[in-house]
Amino acid sequence: MRHLFLNGPVQNGPFTFDTRPGKAVGIHLAAALNAILGSPPAPHLWNTVTLAGDLRHREATGPRIPRQRFEADLIEAKYSHGRSPSGGITTDTDAEVVALALEMIETNLRAGTLTISPETVPVCRTCGHMTGSGSHPCKACGGTDTLNRTGLQLVAEPAKDRPVLDRSDIHANHRQQPRRLLHTAANLPERLVLSRTRDHGIDLSPLGLDGLVLDPRVGVHTTVLAAARRHRAEVAVMTITQNAANHIAAHGRHFRQHDGTRLQYTLHGHLPYDHMASLQPLHEAYRSTRALREGFESWFLPLFSLRAKAVTRPDQLPALFKHYMRAYLAQPVDVDEEIIEAVRRSVETGDTEWITRKPAVANAMASGAGHYE
């Protein structure tokens, strides 16, 4: 398999997909693109290495349960009854992800792109949590006093042979390259500390870094690559917003290629799910079923967000729904193989023009790739 689309791991916060469907845009987008290509269902990826997760676990009432189980229960509650993903669930601390992350770190240590070196970092005087620069209360305990502590850390050395992010890292055609992102992603210190103080994460003690875990911004990359390796994909394409890509790109620059698999980002925008009620008159006019509404919200809109990489406005929803319904009504009895192959080539090359073409969307639906009756 050449391409496999996977969601940028979703932070395991206190929400459900029913109450905050915007959190699932990347998941739905990856599923839609994989279905068009005929790829197997990919797992849903979850980011559990967060300070907020540490605090939730510490403050949880009732019997103390292991953190891994605690996170798994939170993730399970995200899905409505009977809607567990057919491709399964993978988190950034699953055994296969941990093994791959340590394998990649060791490869980078041998290459000299990562080092383990003494570093002086600010920590909370009360709890020892790494606080970062600036005068602000410790996010782990609220303490206001910090001190500088020197100890071994995992450090990413400057990449002299290539920028932090270039066009080859973005899954898009030449007309849709995010020039601003390619520039702003590099606005970080060239030398980055990749180890962190967390209660939960990929333990770095096998490397002699006791009490430290891998930075979760690295972990999201190794999670995607682990899922891709399981499916033997050559290119793992992470669905992600531009802001999120800007936040993690520098930390992932040494973790986007390993053992024959390349990781790329495909950018999507935000969708106005809070305004779906405005479409009720159109639903009545078209007599749309629940399945058709779900198809619009969880299949077509995520695909459109791939084309509108910033924000889809609420006032665009009526026109988009009409386009979706016209394509639905125009589905051919027999799929036009020439059109569907062109759509698949577009997906593989990062071209999004097809999403606004009725025959292309209609044939994608007719091929069985769309979520509808």
Side-chain angles (χ1 to χ4, degrees):
M1 182 197 314
R2 177 149 177 78
H3 291 87
L4 183 68
F5 290 84
L6 296 136
N7 66 281
V10 183
Q11 285 198 2
N12 191 19
F15 67 89
T16 69
F17 287 143
D18 287 339
T19 57
R20 296 180 68 183
K23 290 284 187 180
V25 172
I27 288 175
H28 291 318
L29 175 58
L33 295 172
N34 287 330
I36 289 169
L37 293 180
S39 301
H44 293 184
L45 308 184
W46 287 90
N47 169 210
T48 65
V49 183
T50 65
L51 181 56
D54 288 353
L55 298 178
R56 276 195 301 273
H57 188 237
R58 292 177 201 172
E59 296 165 1
T61 58
R64 186 83 165 177
I65 63 174
R67 178 64 176 277
Q68 204 85 1
R69 182 70 254 169
F70 180 80
E71 296 289 342
D73 289 347
L74 284 175
I75 293 170
E76 185 179 353
K78 301 286 191 296
Y79 299 92
S80 301
H81 180 69
R83 291 201 173 188
S84 296
S86 58
I89 288 168
T90 297
T91 80
D92 50 355
T93 58
D94 285 0
E96 65 178 328
V97 179
V98 173
L100 178 61
L102 293 175
E103 182 182 326
M104 294 185 72
I105 291 169
E106 290 172 356
T107 299
N108 278 291
L109 287 171
R110 287 194 296 270
T113 50
L114 300 184
T115 61
I116 294 175
S117 61
E119 302 291 329
T120 301
V121 297
V123 301
C124 174
R125 189 182 293 272
T126 302
C127 70
H129 177 71
M130 291 167 62
T131 61
S133 58
S135 57
H136 50 77
C138 172
K139 294 180 181 178
C141 74
T144 56
D145 291 334
T146 63
L147 58 89
N148 289 329
R149 179 175 293 166
T150 300
L152 292 177
Q153 301 283 348
L154 180 66
V155 177
E157 296 293 340
K160 299 180 176 63
D161 56 336
R162 65 188 296 259
V164 167
L165 197 65
D166 65 22
R167 290 187 173 199
S168 68
D169 298 313
I170 306 296
H171 187 74
N173 65 25
H174 70 279
R175 295 189 305 277
Q176 296 174 316
Q177 287 291 327
R179 294 179 181 84
R180 183 173 177 275
L181 174 63
L182 296 175
H183 174 71
T184 59
N187 293 337
L188 282 172
E190 278 289 302
R191 200 163 178 273
L192 294 177
V193 174
L194 301 184
S195 38
R196 290 289 179 267
T197 48
R198 293 282 192 279
D199 294 349
H200 177 70
I202 296 176
D203 181 15
L204 296 179
S205 60
L207 303 174
L209 300 174
D210 295 342
L212 297 174
V213 303
L214 184 63
D215 191 305
R217 287 167 290 190
V218 177
V220 298
H221 293 83
T222 57
T223 308
V224 169
L225 284 175
R229 183 156 79 169
R230 187 194 316 161
H231 287 280
R232 299 181 181 177
E234 295 177 33
V235 182
V237 187
M238 181 196 295
T239 61
I240 193 170
T241 65
Q242 182 160 305
N243 184 60
N246 190 54
H247 184 59
I248 69 171
H251 293 76
R253 64 183 167 186
H254 300 307
F255 295 87
R256 289 197 286 260
Q257 190 163 352
H258 185 70
D259 198 25
T261 302
R262 175 75 187 274
L263 187 153
Q264 294 181 320
Y265 308 110
T266 191
L267 306 177
H268 67 82
H270 297 277
L271 295 171
Y273 282 112
D274 291 341
H275 298 268
M276 290 299 160
S278 67
L279 293 177
Q280 187 58 33
L282 282 175
H283 288 313
E284 294 172 358
Y286 280 97
R287 299 180 181 179
S288 59
T289 63
R290 180 177 177 180
L292 281 169
R293 298 181 192 192
E294 289 183 354
F296 175 68
E297 295 174 16
S298 65
W299 185 75
F300 180 74
L301 276 184
L303 285 172
F304 185 76
S305 77
L306 189 63
R307 180 161 176 75
K309 298 183 187 301
V311 176
T312 299
R313 301 186 314 275
D315 62 3
Q316 293 177 273
L317 288 175
L320 291 173
F321 183 74
K322 290 176 183 178
H323 174 66
Y324 168 76
M325 286 303 302
R326 288 165 183 159
Y328 172 76
L329 295 171
Q331 290 179 85
V333 175
D334 298 314
V335 174
D336 187 318
E337 291 299 328
E338 186 174 336
I339 291 177
I340 198 64
E341 282 305 315
V343 169
R344 288 169 180 154
R345 286 195 300 272
S346 293
V347 169
E348 290 178 340
T349 59
D351 184 357
T352 63
E353 296 287 337
W354 70 273
I355 297 167
T356 56
R357 296 173 183 156
K358 184 176 69 175
V361 177
N363 275 273
M365 288 180 173
S367 73
H371 298 285
Y372 57 90
E373 287 182 317

